[in-house]
């Protein structure tokens, strides 16, 4: 993730960072924790570590619910802008893999 406003309450832990790839775990301790508003400067894959859903603020007054399944990845192109929230009544996390080249 790049271009972050640093106002989120979710906790990032970078596991791998080299010239080609960055792998970050995003951990949300409770409902409402969020990443903070950000723009993705790279293509990326997210691997949820839970069954449930994320709430995504798209910045235009629209907030969508995104169901996710444990271990089932999804891909997004660079340029995505959003703030991601834990919409569950339990702690949750996902792994984000960014393709830097």
């Amino acid at each position: 993730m790049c271009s972050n406003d640093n106002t989120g309450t979710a906790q990032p832990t970078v596991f791998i960072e080299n010239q080609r790839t960055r792998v970050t775990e995003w951990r949300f301790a409770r409902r409402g924790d969020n990443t903070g508003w950000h723009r993705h400067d790279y293509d990326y894959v997210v691997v949820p570590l839970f069954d449930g859903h994320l709430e995504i603020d798209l910045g235009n007054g629209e907030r969508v619910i995104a169901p996710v399944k444990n271990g089932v990845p999804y891909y997004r192109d660079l340029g995505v802008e959003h703030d991601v929230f834990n919409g569950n009544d339990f702690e949750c996390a996902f792994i984000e893999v960014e393709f830097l080249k």
Side-chain angles (χ1 to χ4, degrees):
M1 173 186 317
C2 297
S3 308
N4 193 327
D5 72 2
N6 295 319
T7 61
T9 53
Q11 297 300 308
T13 301
V14 176
F15 289 118
I16 298 169
E17 186 165 15
N18 57 43
Q19 291 181 340
R20 298 185 334 170
T21 309
R22 181 183 306 122
V23 179
T24 306
E25 178 192 72
W26 284 92
R27 185 155 297 275
F28 303 76
R30 63 192 56 83
R31 178 184 277 278
D33 279 354
N34 67 312
T35 58
W37 183 259
H38 61 279
R39 179 184 189 280
H40 287 269
D41 293 337
Y42 306 101
D43 296 340
Y44 66 101
V45 168
V46 170
V47 183
L49 302 176
F50 67 101
D51 291 329
H53 65 275
L54 297 168
E55 295 180 13
I56 302 173
D57 180 351
L58 300 175
N60 57 2
E62 183 180 4
R63 196 160 171 160
V64 298
I65 306 257
V68 296
K69 297 288 284 175
N70 186 22
V72 178
Y74 61 88
Y75 169 87
R76 296 288 184 265
D77 289 322
L78 67 95
V80 172
E81 294 183 74
H82 58 201
D83 192 356
V84 179
F85 293 79
N86 178 1
N88 307 283
D89 290 327
F90 53 84
E91 180 180 48
C92 66
F94 60 78
I95 300 291
E96 176 184 80
V97 180
E98 296 173 277
F99 306 108
L100 306 180
K101 281 193 172 186

